[in-house]
Amino acid sequence: ELLRPSVLANLLRYLRSGGAPCKERVCHVLLRVLPHATLRDVDFDWARFGSLEAIVEWHEELYERQRVPPLLPAGSQAMLDLLVDLRERLRAEGLPLWEAALPYLDEIAELSSLSKWLLLPPGSGAEPPPPSLRHAARASGVDGAAGAARAEVARALAAWEPRLDEELVRYVDSQHGGGGG
């Protein structure tokens, strides 16, 4: 019922309203519903939620100018949480993501995925989140390079296995005179 396109459009309109008093509550309700929904079955342009990034960014810039602690107001923080979770759900279902306007949104999403995985009980059998192609490309020196170089990094990451971590540590230790450990 909550995920009908007309309801989503109205909730989004409410979240974009400057004086709306219960933005945090609306975001929390959506955050509780999203994990139980199949987004591809909802006839809605999820990219419209990307418009909330401007509100988060505005608060961030305002706080930066006023030199106050870098904590967002509760409503803006809830919107950021909603954006991160929504992007995670869209990615999990193979649906297209909107172009992020916040320069750090993908980093927050990666940290969120990793944090959720780390909080799972031991032995849950859940796979760790995949490594970030963006960070791997930056570390390998091909950040911003042509598609062929990025594709090479993607192939290398896809073939990586946890057993190779030990070999990598041994190699780095041998190159830098470390004793391992």
Side-chain angles (χ1 to χ4, degrees), residues 49-94:
F49 273 90
S51 64
L52 297 177
E53 289 184 48
I55 297 166
V56 173
E57 190 172 35
W58 180 82
H59 275 119
E60 186 177 84
E61 289 172 0
L62 177 68
Y63 278 32
E64 192 174 297
R65 282 194 307 267
Q66 294 176 351
R67 302 210 189 289
V68 296
L71 299 173
L72 293 170
S76 289
Q77 181 62 54
M79 282 189 261
L80 183 58
D81 294 342
L82 175 62
L83 291 169
V84 167
D85 272 28
L86 179 58
R87 287 177 70 86
E88 191 175 295
R89 294 283 300 132
L90 290 168
R91 187 176 286 116
E93 291 190 31

